[in-house]
PDB file of all heavy atoms in Angstrom:
ATOM      1  N   CYS A1021      54.483   5.296  51.119  1.00 95.00           N
ATOM      2  CA  CYS A1021      55.326   5.158  52.344  1.00 95.00           C
ATOM      3  C   CYS A1021      56.616   4.416  52.055  1.00 95.00           C
ATOM      4  O   CYS A1021      57.692   4.856  52.498  1.00 95.00           O
ATOM      5  CB  CYS A1021      54.581   4.371  53.427  1.00 95.00           C
ATOM      6  SG  CYS A1021      53.317   5.363  54.306  1.00 95.00           S
ATOM      7  N   LYS A1022      56.529   3.348  51.281  1.00 95.00           N
ATOM      8  CA  LYS A1022      57.714   2.529  50.955  1.00 95.00           C
ATOM      9  C   LYS A1022      58.698   3.382  50.161  1.00 95.00           C
ATOM     10  O   LYS A1022      59.911   3.383  50.501  1.00 95.00           O
ATOM     11  CB  LYS A1022      57.311   1.325  50.176  1.00 95.00           C
ATOM     12  CG  LYS A1022      58.462   0.403  49.840  1.00 95.00           C
ATOM     13  CD  LYS A1022      57.983  -0.860  49.077  1.00 95.00           C
ATOM     14  CE  LYS A1022      59.195  -1.762  48.821  1.00 95.00           C
ATOM     15  NZ  LYS A1022      59.396  -1.983  47.415  1.00 95.00           N
ATOM     16  N   ASN A1023      58.268   4.097  49.156  1.00 94.00           N
ATOM     17  CA  ASN A1023      59.147   4.897  48.348  1.00 94.00           C
ATOM     18  C   ASN A1023      59.853   5.988  49.129  1.00 94.00           C
ATOM     19  O   ASN A1023      61.023   6.205  48.960  1.00 94.00           O
ATOM     20  CB  ASN A1023      58.356   5.540  47.170  1.00 94.00           C
ATOM     21  CG  ASN A1023      57.962   4.515  46.124  1.00 94.00           C
ATOM     22  OD1 ASN A1023      58.555   3.438  46.026  1.00 94.00           O
ATOM     23  ND2 ASN A1023      57.011   4.892  45.331  1.00 94.00           N
ATOM     24  N   LEU A1024      59.100   6.635  49.988  1.00 95.00           N
ATOM     25  CA  LEU A1024      59.719   7.686  50.818  1.00 95.00           C
ATOM     26  C   LEU A1024      60.650   7.174  51.856  1.00 95.00           C
ATOM     27  O   LEU A1024      61.679   7.717  52.160  1.00 95.00           O
ATOM     28  CB  LEU A1024      58.647   8.604  51.419  1.00 95.00           C
ATOM     29  CG  LEU A1024      57.855   9.450  50.412  1.00 95.00           C
ATOM     30  CD1 LEU A1024      56.831  10.315  51.165  1.00 95.00           C
ATOM     31  CD2 LEU A1024      58.790  10.380  49.623  1.00 95.00           C
ATOM     32  N   ALA A1025      60.240   6.029  52.466  1.00 95.00           N
ATOM     33  CA  ALA A1025      61.128   5.417  53.463  1.00 95.00           C
ATOM     34  C   ALA A1025      62.462   4.979  52.870  1.00 95.00           C
ATOM     35  O   ALA A1025      63.490   5.099  53.494  1.00 95.00           O
ATOM     36  CB  ALA A1025      60.408   4.196  54.076  1.00 95.00           C
ATOM     37  N   GLU A1026      62.428   4.506  51.618  1.00 94.00           N
ATOM     38  CA  GLU A1026      63.670   4.129  50.929  1.00 94.00           C
ATOM     39  C   GLU A1026      64.581   5.376  50.712  1.00 94.00           C
ATOM     40  O   GLU A1026      65.778   5.206  50.532  1.00 94.00           O
ATOM     41  CB  GLU A1026      63.371   3.491  49.616  1.00 94.00           C
ATOM     42  CG  GLU A1026      62.815   2.052  49.749  1.00 94.00           C
ATOM     43  CD  GLU A1026      62.315   1.448  48.423  1.00 94.00           C
ATOM     44  OE1 GLU A1026      62.311   2.149  47.410  1.00 94.00           O
ATOM     45  OE2 GLU A1026      61.950   0.246  48.473  1.00 94.00           O
ATOM     46  N   LYS A1027      63.987   6.537  50.704  1.00 93.00           N
ATOM     47  CA  LYS A1027      64.745   7.792  50.558  1.00 93.00           C
ATOM     48  C   LYS A1027      65.097   8.431  51.909  1.00 93.00           C
ATOM     49  O   LYS A1027      65.595   9.554  51.945  1.00 93.00           O
ATOM     50  CB  LYS A1027      63.952   8.772  49.704  1.00 93.00           C
ATOM     51  CG  LYS A1027      63.777   8.232  48.297  1.00 93.00           C
ATOM     52  CD  LYS A1027      62.938   9.144  47.446  1.00 93.00           C
ATOM     53  CE  LYS A1027      62.861   8.495  46.080  1.00 93.00           C
ATOM     54  NZ  LYS A1027      61.991   9.126  45.154  1.00 93.00           N
ATOM     55  N   GLY A1028      64.826   7.681  52.977  1.00 94.00           N
ATOM     56  CA  GLY A1028      65.276   8.141  54.298  1.00 94.00           C
ATOM     57  C   GLY A1028      64.227   8.905  55.089  1.00 94.00           C
ATOM     58  O   GLY A1028      64.524   9.385  56.183  1.00 94.00           O
ATOM     59  N   ILE A1029      63.001   9.051  54.595  1.00 95.00           N
ATOM     60  CA  ILE A1029      61.966   9.763  55.345  1.00 95.00           C
ATOM     61  C   ILE A1029      61.424   8.766  56.397  1.00 95.00           C
ATOM     62  O   ILE A1029      61.191   7.625  56.130  1.00 95.00           O
ATOM     63  CB  ILE A1029      60.828  10.183  54.381  1.00 95.00           C
ATOM     64  CG1 ILE A1029      61.340  11.114  53.330  1.00 95.00           C
ATOM     65  CG2 ILE A1029      59.701  10.840  55.192  1.00 95.00           C
ATOM     66  CD1 ILE A1029      61.951  12.395  53.801  1.00 95.00           C
ATOM     67  N   LYS A1030      61.288   9.288  57.630  1.00 95.00           N
ATOM     68  CA  LYS A1030      60.790   8.513  58.749  1.00 95.00           C
ATOM     69  C   LYS A1030      59.297   8.844  58.923  1.00 95.00           C
ATOM     70  O   LYS A1030      58.860   9.952  58.715  1.00 95.00           O
ATOM     71  CB  LYS A1030      61.586   8.809  59.997  1.00 95.00           C
ATOM     72  CG  LYS A1030      63.042   8.384  59.827  1.00 95.00           C
ATOM     73  CD  LYS A1030      63.797   8.614  61.071  1.00 95.00           C
ATOM     74  CE  LYS A1030      65.214   8.169  60.775  1.00 95.00           C
ATOM     75  NZ  LYS A1030      66.045   8.210  61.919  1.00 95.00           N
ATOM     76  N   PHE A1031      58.562   7.851  59.373  1.00 95.00           N
ATOM     77  CA  PHE A1031      57.135   7.962  59.611  1.00 95.00           C
ATOM     78  C   PHE A1031      56.743   7.506  60.992  1.00 95.00           C
ATOM     79  O   PHE A1031      57.380   6.631  61.592  1.00 95.00           O
ATOM     80  CB  PHE A1031      56.367   7.064  58.630  1.00 95.00           C
ATOM     81  CG  PHE A1031      56.469   7.459  57.185  1.00 95.00           C
ATOM     82  CD1 PHE A1031      57.394   6.915  56.300  1.00 95.00           C
ATOM     83  CD2 PHE A1031      55.568   8.396  56.687  1.00 95.00           C
ATOM     84  CE1 PHE A1031      57.474   7.302  55.002  1.00 95.00           C
ATOM     85  CE2 PHE A1031      55.586   8.781  55.344  1.00 95.00           C
ATOM     86  CZ  PHE A1031      56.566   8.236  54.521  1.00 95.00           C
ATOM     87  N   CYS A1032      55.642   8.084  61.469  1.00 94.00           N
ATOM     88  CA  CYS A1032      55.000   7.557  62.648  1.00 94.00           C
ATOM     89  C   CYS A1032      53.519   7.957  62.579  1.00 94.00           C
ATOM     90  O   CYS A1032      53.207   9.060  62.108  1.00 94.00           O
ATOM     91  CB  CYS A1032      55.610   8.167  63.929  1.00 94.00           C
ATOM     92  SG  CYS A1032      54.946   7.381  65.486  1.00 94.00           S
ATOM     93  N   ILE A1033      52.658   7.052  62.961  1.00 93.00           N
ATOM     94  CA  ILE A1033      51.224   7.390  63.038  1.00 93.00           C
ATOM     95  C   ILE A1033      50.939   7.787  64.468  1.00 93.00           C
ATOM     96  O   ILE A1033      51.316   7.090  65.423  1.00 93.00           O
ATOM     97  CB  ILE A1033      50.371   6.129  62.681  1.00 93.00           C
ATOM     98  CG1 ILE A1033      50.580   5.737  61.240  1.00 93.00           C
ATOM     99  CG2 ILE A1033      48.902   6.367  62.994  1.00 93.00           C
ATOM    100  CD1 ILE A1033      49.959   4.419  60.858  1.00 93.00           C
ATOM    101  N   VAL A1034      50.215   8.916  64.625  1.00 93.00           N
ATOM    102  CA  VAL A1034      49.691   9.335  65.913  1.00 93.00           C
ATOM    103  C   VAL A1034      48.213   9.494  65.743  1.00 93.00           C
ATOM    104  O   VAL A1034      47.721  10.343  64.968  1.00 93.00           O
ATOM    105  CB  VAL A1034      50.326  10.647  66.408  1.00 93.00           C
ATOM    106  CG1 VAL A1034      49.695  11.050  67.696  1.00 93.00           C
ATOM    107  CG2 VAL A1034      51.837  10.509  66.534  1.00 93.00           C
ATOM    108  N   SER A1035      47.445   8.652  66.412  1.00 89.00           N
ATOM    109  CA  SER A1035      46.006   8.645  66.265  1.00 89.00           C
ATOM    110  C   SER A1035      45.353   8.893  67.612  1.00 89.00           C
ATOM    111  O   SER A1035      45.830   8.452  68.624  1.00 89.00           O
ATOM    112  CB  SER A1035      45.542   7.258  65.739  1.00 89.00           C
ATOM    113  OG  SER A1035      44.160   7.189  65.653  1.00 89.00           O
ATOM    114  N   ASN A1036      44.236   9.595  67.562  1.00 84.00           N
ATOM    115  CA  ASN A1036      43.445   9.781  68.806  1.00 84.00           C
ATOM    116  C   ASN A1036      42.503   8.592  69.070  1.00 84.00           C
ATOM    117  O   ASN A1036      41.876   8.525  70.095  1.00 84.00           O
ATOM    118  CB  ASN A1036      42.642  11.070  68.720  1.00 84.00           C
ATOM    119  CG  ASN A1036      43.427  12.279  69.004  1.00 84.00           C
ATOM    120  OD1 ASN A1036      44.542  12.222  69.485  1.00 84.00           O
ATOM    121  ND2 ASN A1036      42.875  13.416  68.691  1.00 84.00           N
ATOM    122  N   SER A1037      42.515   7.671  68.137  1.00 80.00           N
ATOM    123  CA  SER A1037      41.617   6.506  68.294  1.00 80.00           C
ATOM    124  C   SER A1037      41.998   5.676  69.486  1.00 80.00           C
ATOM    125  O   SER A1037      43.146   5.394  69.721  1.00 80.00           O
ATOM    126  CB  SER A1037      41.661   5.643  66.991  1.00 80.00           C
ATOM    127  OG  SER A1037      40.856   4.525  67.158  1.00 80.00           O
ATOM    128  N   ASN A1038      40.932   5.268  70.201  1.00 76.00           N
ATOM    129  CA  ASN A1038      41.185   4.265  71.285  1.00 76.00           C
ATOM    130  C   ASN A1038      41.018   2.857  70.786  1.00 76.00           C
ATOM    131  O   ASN A1038      41.074   1.943  71.571  1.00 76.00           O
ATOM    132  CB  ASN A1038      40.291   4.617  72.479  1.00 76.00           C
ATOM    133  CG  ASN A1038      38.793   4.526  72.122  1.00 76.00           C
ATOM    134  OD1 ASN A1038      38.446   4.214  70.973  1.00 76.00           O
ATOM    135  ND2 ASN A1038      37.970   4.813  73.103  1.00 76.00           N
ATOM    136  N   LYS A1039      40.883   2.716  69.491  1.00 81.00           N
ATOM    137  CA  LYS A1039      40.802   1.408  68.860  1.00 81.00           C
ATOM    138  C   LYS A1039      42.158   0.976  68.392  1.00 81.00           C
ATOM    139  O   LYS A1039      42.513   1.099  67.281  1.00 81.00           O
ATOM    140  CB  LYS A1039      39.757   1.396  67.734  1.00 81.00           C
ATOM    141  CG  LYS A1039      38.390   1.698  68.203  1.00 81.00           C
ATOM    142  CD  LYS A1039      37.411   1.817  67.063  1.00 81.00           C
ATOM    143  CE  LYS A1039      36.013   2.187  67.639  1.00 81.00           C
ATOM    144  NZ  LYS A1039      35.093   2.555  66.577  1.00 81.00           N
ATOM    145  N   LYS A1040      42.940   0.501  69.345  1.00 85.00           N
ATOM    146  CA  LYS A1040      44.336   0.183  69.075  1.00 85.00           C
ATOM    147  C   LYS A1040      44.509  -0.803  67.948  1.00 85.00           C
ATOM    148  O   LYS A1040      45.433  -0.682  67.122  1.00 85.00           O
ATOM    149  CB  LYS A1040      45.003  -0.369  70.341  1.00 85.00           C
ATOM    150  CG  LYS A1040      46.483  -0.592  70.176  1.00 85.00           C
ATOM    151  CD  LYS A1040      47.134  -1.084  71.486  1.00 85.00           C
ATOM    152  CE  LYS A1040      48.596  -1.310  71.279  1.00 85.00           C
ATOM    153  NZ  LYS A1040      49.285  -1.720  72.483  1.00 85.00           N
ATOM    154  N   GLU A1041      43.663  -1.761  67.812  1.00 88.00           N
ATOM    155  CA  GLU A1041      43.764  -2.786  66.776  1.00 88.00           C
ATOM    156  C   GLU A1041      43.646  -2.178  65.377  1.00 88.00           C
ATOM    157  O   GLU A1041      44.328  -2.607  64.458  1.00 88.00           O
ATOM    158  CB  GLU A1041      42.773  -3.906  66.969  1.00 88.00           C
ATOM    159  CG  GLU A1041      43.063  -4.818  68.132  1.00 88.00           C
ATOM    160  CD  GLU A1041      44.487  -5.380  68.039  1.00 88.00           C
ATOM    161  OE1 GLU A1041      44.877  -5.959  67.009  1.00 88.00           O
ATOM    162  OE2 GLU A1041      45.182  -5.362  69.116  1.00 88.00           O
ATOM    163  N   LYS A1042      42.791  -1.227  65.222  1.00 88.00           N
ATOM    164  CA  LYS A1042      42.633  -0.523  63.947  1.00 88.00           C
ATOM    165  C   LYS A1042      43.926   0.246  63.580  1.00 88.00           C
ATOM    166  O   LYS A1042      44.455   0.098  62.467  1.00 88.00           O
ATOM    167  CB  LYS A1042      41.453   0.473  63.967  1.00 88.00           C
ATOM    168  CG  LYS A1042      41.336   1.306  62.713  1.00 88.00           C
ATOM    169  CD  LYS A1042      40.112   2.237  62.751  1.00 88.00           C
ATOM    170  CE  LYS A1042      40.397   3.402  63.647  1.00 88.00           C
ATOM    171  NZ  LYS A1042      39.320   4.425  63.610  1.00 88.00           N
ATOM    172  N   VAL A1043      44.451   0.989  64.507  1.00 90.00           N
ATOM    173  CA  VAL A1043      45.666   1.725  64.292  1.00 90.00           C
ATOM    174  C   VAL A1043      46.829   0.788  64.028  1.00 90.00           C
ATOM    175  O   VAL A1043      47.628   0.993  63.096  1.00 90.00           O
ATOM    176  CB  VAL A1043      45.998   2.656  65.512  1.00 90.00           C
ATOM    177  CG1 VAL A1043      47.237   3.459  65.291  1.00 90.00           C
ATOM    178  CG2 VAL A1043      44.807   3.629  65.775  1.00 90.00           C
ATOM    179  N   LYS A1044      46.935  -0.292  64.801  1.00 93.00           N
ATOM    180  CA  LYS A1044      47.995  -1.282  64.650  1.00 93.00           C
ATOM    181  C   LYS A1044      47.919  -1.918  63.281  1.00 93.00           C
ATOM    182  O   LYS A1044      48.945  -2.116  62.597  1.00 93.00           O
ATOM    183  CB  LYS A1044      47.890  -2.346  65.734  1.00 93.00           C
ATOM    184  CG  LYS A1044      48.919  -3.428  65.654  1.00 93.00           C
ATOM    185  CD  LYS A1044      48.740  -4.432  66.743  1.00 93.00           C
ATOM    186  CE  LYS A1044      49.749  -5.571  66.628  1.00 93.00           C
ATOM    187  NZ  LYS A1044      49.578  -6.590  67.674  1.00 93.00           N
ATOM    188  N   MET A1045      46.729  -2.223  62.818  1.00 92.00           N
ATOM    189  CA  MET A1045      46.518  -2.902  61.497  1.00 92.00           C
ATOM    190  C   MET A1045      47.048  -1.994  60.361  1.00 92.00           C
ATOM    191  O   MET A1045      47.795  -2.452  59.506  1.00 92.00           O
ATOM    192  CB  MET A1045      45.051  -3.203  61.276  1.00 92.00           C
ATOM    193  CG  MET A1045      44.737  -3.893  59.958  1.00 92.00           C
ATOM    194  SD  MET A1045      43.961  -2.915  58.658  1.00 92.00           S
ATOM    195  CE  MET A1045      42.886  -1.778  59.399  1.00 92.00           C
ATOM    196  N   VAL A1046      46.722  -0.716  60.402  1.00 93.00           N
ATOM    197  CA  VAL A1046      47.208   0.214  59.383  1.00 93.00           C
ATOM    198  C   VAL A1046      48.723   0.331  59.463  1.00 93.00           C
ATOM    199  O   VAL A1046      49.420   0.329  58.447  1.00 93.00           O
ATOM    200  CB  VAL A1046      46.500   1.596  59.562  1.00 93.00           C
ATOM    201  CG1 VAL A1046      47.115   2.622  58.620  1.00 93.00           C
ATOM    202  CG2 VAL A1046      45.025   1.499  59.312  1.00 93.00           C
TER     203      VAL A1046
END
């Protein structure tokens, strides 16, 4: 993620999980 972000690639996580803390932690 870090290497690609440094090259301008944008990221977003979209999860169906209702366990927000797990998704937030990742």
Side-chain angles (χ1 to χ4, degrees):
C1021 283
K1022 182 178 182 238
N1023 289 340
L1024 291 179
E1026 287 173 353
K1027 294 177 180 171
I1029 301 299
K1030 296 182 181 188
F1031 291 95
C1032 187
I1033 294 172
V1034 178
S1035 175
N1036 280 348
S1037 177
N1038 59 1
K1039 297 177 182 169
K1040 185 177 180 178
E1041 288 305 312
K1042 175 178 74 173
V1043 179
K1044 180 180 177 183
M1045 182 255 323
V1046 172

